[in-house]
Amino acid sequence: MTARRPGPQGGNQHGGNQHAGKQVHLAAHFPGINSATVWTDPRSGSQIEFSSFEHLARTAERGLFDFFFLAEGLRLREHQGRIHDLDVVGRPEPITVLNALAAVTDRLGLAATVNATFNEPYELARRFATLDHLSGGRAAWNVVTSSDAFTGENFRRGGFLDRADRYTRAAEFVRTARELWDSWTPEGVPRPFAHRGQHFDIAGEFGLPRSPQGYPVVIQAGDSDEGREFAAATADVLFSGWGSGGCPPGRRGTRHGTLEAGRAFYADVKRRLAAHGRSADDLKIMPGVGVVLGDTAAEARERAAEVRRQQVSPQNAILALEQVWGTDLSAYDPDGPLPDTDPVADSGITQGRTRRGDTVETARQWRELARRKGLSIRETVIEATSRISFVGTPEAVAAEIDTYVQREAADGFILVPHLAPAGLDEFVDRVVPLLQERGVFRTEYEGTTLRSHLGLPEPVWKG
């Protein structure tokens, strides 16, 4: 049983199902160059050939997903002065890829991650408006920021921005882009623009008419307090973190991975919207998740454990350990015990990747986990950095996704498969039909734009 293909005229979003609840939103993240990807599996394909992007995008559209999501890499990361192993294949520029995908998809939203620290409003607004026109109103911009001077070295002005200024620049960047998109009237009449602000002082005429969505959907990736406030004020979608959660394989590994934590995060972000004159429905919260399926619960757990072993090779286990400890640990045995020393502060051993949080506390927690369960270095890294979020039979996974949405722990999920390009196939074939039977997922696309898929209002022209 497979999800139905979208019909050319759209259709009823609820598809006539009888027990419809709150509708689930789904999106697909191309796994790209990260530690979630399993490189050793023979089904793993190229990370840069167009056929890989096309396969995953077509699968997402066959599954009637809201959008297809690409990350961004602005510099090859380094570890101990060498190019990080996961970056050796490179990463194409996302908007270019999505412009090509616009020609081979009909309804699927197309979301690109583009940094607001290292770009300028006019050029970026023009590129996204072009994508929105070419795709018939399916463009989205995932706004990210950086205070990383290492990455900034790739840019003319050095790119460095003090951490305290990242979100103020990003907020002004989005406001400025929207002013540019609004500078043409809905009737297609161009008008001059002028923006005078702290970070941007520009004036002129924008080169493209107002696009089919008014302007692209804005996504914010991040769950710090600053990120939550920025999303509440500015974003249409919040892509909350799916990093390490200290959970073993077979359990959820997002930062808000339990139902209770998800509900608390969801409520905190939604309550912030009112202060910005927005309603709860104006922002969709969609955590990133991994999924592993099996015909039985035991088979799913076994498959999930094997995926984690593949993601955390002995070499990757030591690398992960060095990123916490900030020092060369190549002499340590991955099957041996963790170091009993504390991490080195500001060592610079890893460039282009942020060492998150209190590393001394992280090391303490990892040592306690290893002591309590008798784990080796590799086993500890596997258990402490698990990213697999939904593990079980298709029926169990569909029920759990539905529960998270109905209980207001999320509005939906962005799926991050561990294989490219075929990592989404099984979910679309086996889980999507079950969500449709529950009446919580569309059986046809109702509209043509990404805003219509997400149930977001059209932006009011502010000319």
Side-chain angles (χ1 to χ4, degrees):
M1 187 174 187
T2 60
R4 302 178 193 174
R5 287 285 297 171
Q9 302 302 317
N12 189 307
Q13 176 152 340
H14 296 174
N17 292 308
Q18 295 182 347
H19 304 293
K22 183 180 177 183
Q23 295 296 292
V24 172
H25 292 280
L26 293 175
H29 187 296
F30 188 84
I33 49 173
N34 58 53
S35 56
T37 309
V38 173
W39 302 97
T40 56
D41 192 297
R43 296 170 295 171
S44 180
S46 170
Q47 303 294 306
I48 60 174
E49 290 180 5
F50 181 68
S51 59
S52 291
F53 297 106
E54 182 180 15
H55 181 108
L56 196 69
R58 285 185 181 274
T59 302
E61 186 164 78
R62 177 166 63 85
L64 308 175
F65 281 31
D66 291 337
F67 60 90
F68 174 86
F69 184 48
L70 283 178
E72 180 182 58
L74 295 178
R75 180 163 181 174
L76 299 181
R77 295 166 293 180
E78 295 180 8
H79 185 73
Q80 294 197 46
R82 300 187 300 273
I83 299 299
H84 193 295
D85 283 354
L86 295 176
D87 282 9
V88 294
V89 298
R91 178 182 284 175
E93 193 280 318
I95 297 182
T96 303
V97 175
L98 296 181
N99 279 321
L101 288 176
V104 296
T105 56
D106 297 317
R107 301 292 182 88
L108 184 70
L110 303 168
T113 302
V114 183
N115 199 296
T117 305
F118 304 130
N119 288 281
E120 297 298 324
Y122 184 93
E123 178 59 21
L124 192 57
R126 185 174 67 140
R127 291 164 64 200
F128 272 110
T130 299
L131 175 60
D132 211 42
H133 278 289
L134 291 178
S135 65
R138 297 185 280 137
W141 172 22
N142 177 38
V143 184
V144 296
T145 66
S146 176
S147 59
D148 177 17
F150 173 77
T151 301
E153 290 174 359
N154 275 353
F155 296 86
R156 178 177 57 81
R157 66 180 182 85
F160 178 77
L161 189 67
D162 192 74
R163 186 176 184 88
D165 293 330
R166 289 187 309 156
Y167 280 108
T168 59
R169 177 184 166 92
E172 186 178 341
F173 198 123
V174 174
R175 288 196 304 273
T176 307
R178 286 173 170 164
E179 290 170 15
L180 295 171
W181 293 325
D182 273 334
S183 66
W184 285 63
T185 71
E187 294 75 30
V189 179
R191 295 156 49 127
F193 70 83
H195 177 92
R196 313 294 184 198
Q198 176 185 353
H199 294 277
F200 308 108
D201 186 350
I202 59 175
E205 293 183 353
F206 192 56
L208 285 170
R210 191 169 173 83
S211 67
Q213 293 188 106
Y215 33 80
V217 168
V218 170
I219 303 171
Q220 154 68 9
D223 55 12
S224 66
D225 187 70
E226 289 174 314
R228 297 181 194 199
E229 198 62 31
F230 179 73
T234 303
D236 301 303
V237 176
L238 175 57
F239 174 28
S240 60
W242 62 286
S244 62
C247 299
R251 295 179 62 189
R252 300 169 197 83
T254 66
R255 293 191 187 107
H256 316 297
T258 66
L259 181 63
E260 295 75 16
R263 283 173 54 82
F265 176 79
Y266 186 97
D268 176 67
V269 174
K270 295 281 187 172
R271 72 168 175 78
R272 297 172 187 245
L273 290 160
H276 302 282
R278 308 178 70 197
S279 72
D281 290 336
D282 289 343
L283 176 68
K284 307 301 180 186
I285 297 177
M286 300 179 67
V289 297
V291 176
V292 177
L293 302 174
D295 290 335
T296 65
E299 180 186 347
R301 288 193 297 269
E302 183 178 343
R303 290 180 66 183
E306 178 57 28
V307 167
R308 290 299 295 141
R309 285 192 293 270
Q310 291 176 306
Q311 289 169 332
V312 185
S313 65
Q315 179 185 8
N316 284 344
I318 295 297
L319 186 148
L321 202 69
E322 289 176 337
Q323 289 173 352
V324 173
W325 261 260
T327 189
D328 182 357
L329 299 174
S330 57
Y332 279 73
D333 180 359
D335 295 321
L338 271 70
D340 56 8
T341 58
D342 284 337
V344 177
D346 301 321
S347 67
I349 191 172
T350 297
Q351 298 276 18
R353 178 189 290 270
T354 303
R355 295 175 75 196
R356 298 184 182 277
D358 184 342
T359 55
V360 172
E361 176 59 19
T362 298
R364 187 197 67 77
Q365 292 175 1
W366 284 21
R367 284 195 295 264
E368 171 58 24
L369 175 66
R371 182 198 62 76
R372 188 173 71 252
K373 295 193 173 184
L375 303 178
S376 67
I377 288 173
R378 186 184 181 196
E379 291 167 337
T380 301
V381 172
I382 286 173
E383 190 150 336
T385 63
S386 176
R387 289 177 167 176
I388 295 168
S389 303
F390 293 118
V391 176
T393 64
E395 294 78 9
V397 168
E400 199 162 15
I401 288 174
D402 189 17
T403 296
Y404 269 65
V405 172
Q406 305 311 323
R407 296 287 306 279
E408 297 191 329
D411 292 306
F413 295 94
I414 298 176
L415 272 62
V416 187
H418 59 274
L419 286 177
L424 201 62
D425 294 16
E426 189 176 19
F427 182 92
V428 167
D429 291 338
R430 303 187 68 187
V431 179
V432 167
L434 298 175
L435 293 172
Q436 292 170 330
E437 289 177 5
R438 287 174 167 265
V440 297
F441 192 70
R442 64 173 64 91
T443 57
E444 293 179 285
Y445 283 115
E446 185 176 51
T448 59
T449 68
L450 178 53
R451 288 187 179 276
S452 68
H453 303 342
L454 290 166
L456 295 170
E458 294 292 328
V460 176
W461 180 61
K462 299 176 182 177

